[in-house]
Amino acid sequence: MPTHGPKEVLIRIRATTVSSADWRARSLAMPAGFGAMARPAFGLIAPRQPVLGTELAGEVSATGKSVSRFRVGDRVFAFADARFGCHAEYRAMPEHGLIAHMPANLSFETAAALCFGGTTALGFLRDKGNLKRGERVLIVGASGCVGSAAVQLAHHFGGRVTAVCSAANLDLVRGIGAEAVIDYKAQDLAAIGQTFDIILDTTGTAPFARCGQLLKPGGRLLVVLGTLAQTLGLGGPSRASGLSMIGGVPRVQPKDLELLAQLAQAGHFQPVIDQVFPLENAVQAHAYVDKGHKRGSVVLTVSKT
Ligand SMILES: NC(=O)c1ccc[n+]([C@@H]2O[C@H](COP(=O)([O-])OP(=O)(O)OC[C@H]3O[C@@H](n4cnc5c(N)ncnc54)[C@H](OP(=O)(O)O)[C@@H]3O)[C@@H](O)[C@H]2O)c1
């Protein structure tokens, strides 16, 4: 049982997810150039954080004596991000950290899946990409957790979305807001002969060298999954071109969770859930996520004992 400080709440976890971050932390499979950083980041000889899980939904079971935002019994969702620790029955979170009240119309399973994809999509499209209404947005990897959130949020913010995924997922992405779809196995993305204001790449298959010609003047390539070189800006457009390539990791604020909750409550953002496993079957859930073909999120439910 974790202990909680005076400014923390203790959460009885009811659902969590197995994300691509859990897979990376466990496997140490990193994008090119990041390999040397994996062990220092995740643990030199043993996992730094043995309990994985980046996000959760549950009920507040105790509050520290200075806590005023939450009461025992409140239904909340939270994002632990790279601090992990959500594949568990309980987790303590700072009351002013990345934690928010759950929308009343959401299940624990859905609320648990709001943060990983939602905050990444928000951070890239809104903050790094400065998406404006009417802009054309190409989302590569649209059926994944980040991609399916990006399709919905880009559509909600007024973007005109073209989604890139495999044939089995074309209907899924059309159903969540894509106005056009491209099957990456049937068409060469680099040769589609269309241009976009924003390309958001969650797969590492649309680097500037291959897909730069798909950007309109002023276009932005948002590198959610990229190499160290790309993150450092190498191999991107020249300054004179007016194009930009932006990678890195979004800065998530507590108000981002409030926004995701509002959008979910209003039906503008519904996390796609692929499969739900009980926590006892976490091994199978991880094995499924490891294959790299999940649609949206894989959820773990934590039974109430
Ligand atoms: N920069 C950041 O802050 C940040 C944050 C979160 C995640 N990430 C990174 O972003 C990547 C994606 O994360 P995620 O959680 O969305 O992964 P995910 O849910 O595991 O994505 C898997 C999806 O990608 C699709 N896919 C695979 N190859 C594709 C291709 N060439 N074209 C189009 N779709 C393809 C798969 O569909 P099929 O294979 O069935 O076609 C599957 O639906 C991960 O590598 C993660 O490490 C970065």
Side-chain angles (χ1 to χ4, degrees):
M1 178 65 78
T3 52
H4 59 285
K7 297 178 181 169
E8 290 186 320
V9 297
L10 184 66
I11 304 165
R12 171 75 170 94
I13 299 174
R14 298 292 299 277
T16 175
T17 63
V18 181
S19 68
S20 53
D22 296 313
W23 160 68
R24 288 205 184 280
R26 211 192 61 249
S27 66
L28 300 183
M30 303 301 282
F34 285 101
M37 298 170 204
R39 281 197 180 276
F42 294 118
L44 279 177
I45 50 172
R48 191 185 295 283
Q49 170 49 280
V51 180
L52 295 176
T54 61
E55 56 188 338
L56 64 82
E59 289 150 329
V60 173
S61 65
T63 56
K65 62 178 186 307
S66 313
V67 169
S68 56
R69 274 185 73 208
F70 299 98
R71 291 182 180 180
V72 170
D74 282 0
R75 289 153 56 100
V76 295
F77 69 105
F79 191 34
D81 201 0
R83 286 177 295 280
F84 298 100
C86 299
H87 293 173
E89 288 87 357
Y90 290 89
R91 195 190 195 289
M93 294 286 297
E95 75 156 332
H96 295 298
L98 300 178
I99 173 173
H101 286 100
M102 262 175 62
N105 57 348
L106 254 58
S107 65
F108 287 118
E109 287 84 351
T110 306
L114 283 169
C115 287
F116 186 80
T119 60
T120 307
L122 199 58
F124 272 92
L125 289 170
R126 182 194 64 185
D127 304 338
K128 293 176 184 281
N130 191 22
L131 169 63
K132 295 185 265 309
R133 294 197 79 76
E135 286 194 318
R136 292 201 69 202
V137 185
L138 181 74
I139 294 177
V140 186
S143 54
C145 176
V146 176
S148 59
V151 170
Q152 296 180 68
L153 295 180
H155 174 66
H156 174 70
F157 292 137
R160 297 174 49 211
V161 176
T162 297
V164 182
C165 60
S166 57
N169 293 320
L170 296 176
D171 287 343
L172 166 78
V173 300
R174 277 195 199 98
I176 58 174
E179 67 176 42
V181 290
I182 293 169
D183 172 358
Y184 71 91
K185 292 183 181 167
Q187 263 181 290
D188 178 7
L189 187 57
I192 55 174
Q194 301 175 40
T195 53
F196 300 88
D197 299 286
I198 288 181
I199 300 174
L200 181 143
D201 180 17
T202 75
T203 65
T205 62
F208 184 76
R210 176 169 181 245
C211 292
Q213 73 283 3
L214 305 183
L215 286 171
K216 289 185 175 191
R220 291 85 80 198
L221 172 59
L222 305 180
V223 184
V224 178
L225 170 60
T227 63
L228 177 61
Q230 283 173 305
T231 304
L232 297 174
L234 304 175
S238 68
R239 195 170 289 186
S241 70
L243 305 174
S244 48
M245 178 174 83
I246 309 162
V249 176
R251 265 181 72 112
V252 185
Q253 311 277 350
K255 64 181 186 315
D256 296 333
L257 271 64
E258 307 282 354
L259 176 61
L260 292 174
Q262 286 165 18
L263 295 177
Q265 173 132 15
H268 300 309
F269 173 41
Q270 288 290 307
V272 171
I273 294 180
D274 184 322
Q275 288 198 59
V276 180
F277 295 82
L279 181 63
E280 300 74 46
N281 293 351
V283 171
Q284 286 97 310
H286 276 264
Y288 181 66
V289 171
D290 286 2
K291 291 181 185 150
H293 300 297
K294 71 179 165 68
R295 295 152 54 109
S297 294
V298 164
V299 170
L300 294 176
T301 51
V302 185
S303 60
K304 201 168 181 181
T305 48

